[in-house]
């Protein structure tokens, strides 16, 4: 890397994103187990709104990676992790349990750390990457809402037929 102050700023940014991932994925020890959950798991208990809020917080890590110059090969899998966790997260109880085990934010920060450690010259960022992040965020929330709506309609129909 070419500029020591930028290296220091990058390290501070990565440390901040690591703290965010810890808060979202592993900040809460679950009693009588070795498992840990986070704020994302708690938010997921609130149907649709909580999952959407969790997705937006998770996208903060992706935006941080973008600002550090991460290329598409890093950003796309990160977006996929957020999408997987969000879409499965809208399924009541199953989604919350999945969130405790999957830890998309920890995965994404590790992917970012791997990128930062391997990069040589900083790459020029593409503005289209930021647009793709915004579209992915909107699409993820939309799909999560559709899944929730389908589950709600299914429960109403089965209740009426019972």
């Amino acid at each position: 890397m070419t500029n020591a102050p930028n290296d220091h700023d990058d390290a501070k940014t990565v440390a901040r994103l690591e703290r965010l991932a810890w808060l979202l994925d592993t900040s809460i020890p679950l009693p009588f187990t070795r498992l840990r959950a986070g704020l994302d798991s708690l938010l997921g208990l609130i149907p649709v709104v909580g999952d959407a809020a969790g997705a937006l917080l998770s996208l903060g890590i992706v935006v941080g990676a973008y600002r550090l110059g991460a290329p598409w090969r890093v950003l796309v899998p990160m977006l996929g992790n957020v999408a997987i966790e969000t879409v499965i997260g809208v399924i009541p109880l199953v989604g919350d349990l999945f969130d405790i085990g999957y830890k998309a934010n920890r995965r994404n920060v590790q992917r970012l750390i791997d990128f930062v450690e391997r990069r040589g010259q900083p790459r020029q960022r593409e503005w289209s990457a930021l647009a793709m992040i915004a579209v992915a965020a909107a699409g993820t929330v939309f799909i999560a809402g559709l899944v929730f709506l389908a589950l709600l309609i299914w429960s109403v129909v089965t209740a009426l037929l019972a």
Side-chain angles (χ1 to χ4, degrees):
M1 295 187 223
T2 59
N3 192 341
N6 286 341
D7 291 347
H8 179 69
D9 291 344
D10 288 357
K12 285 173 55 176
T13 299
V14 170
R16 183 178 51 81
L17 295 174
E18 282 182 297
R19 285 190 304 274
L20 177 58
W22 172 82
L23 176 68
L24 291 173
D25 285 347
T26 56
S27 60
I28 304 167
L30 298 177
F32 311 111
T33 72
R34 287 186 268 160
L35 299 175
R36 298 182 71 83
L39 182 61
D40 195 17
S41 299
L42 290 179
L43 288 171
L45 296 173
I46 304 168
V48 181
V49 175
D51 294 307
L56 291 176
L57 289 169
S58 295
L59 285 170
I61 294 170
V62 180
V63 169
Y66 167 76
R67 288 183 177 160
L68 287 173
W72 278 107
R73 64 181 162 74
V74 174
L75 295 173
V76 169
M78 291 174 81
L79 289 170
N81 284 335
V82 173
I84 288 167
E85 190 168 78
T86 302
V87 170
I88 294 175
V90 285
I91 302 169
L93 190 58
V94 171
D96 301 313
L97 294 174
F98 178 80
D99 185 53
I100 290 170
Y102 190 66
K103 302 191 185 317
N105 301 298
R106 303 289 291 183
R107 290 171 186 255
N108 285 346
V109 166
Q110 187 57 55
R111 185 174 289 281
L112 174 60
I113 289 169
D114 293 345
F115 161 72
V116 169
E117 289 175 350
R118 282 192 319 252
R119 75 177 172 188
Q121 295 290 338
R123 297 178 187 246
Q124 182 178 0
R125 285 179 256 145
E126 300 174 28
W127 286 104
S128 60
L130 189 55
M132 183 57 117
I133 291 170
V135 168
T140 298
V141 170
F142 178 74
I143 290 170
L146 286 177
V147 169
F148 177 77
L149 184 61
L151 290 170
L152 182 65
I153 291 170
W154 178 260
S155 66
V156 168
V157 168
T158 56
L160 290 174
L161 295 176

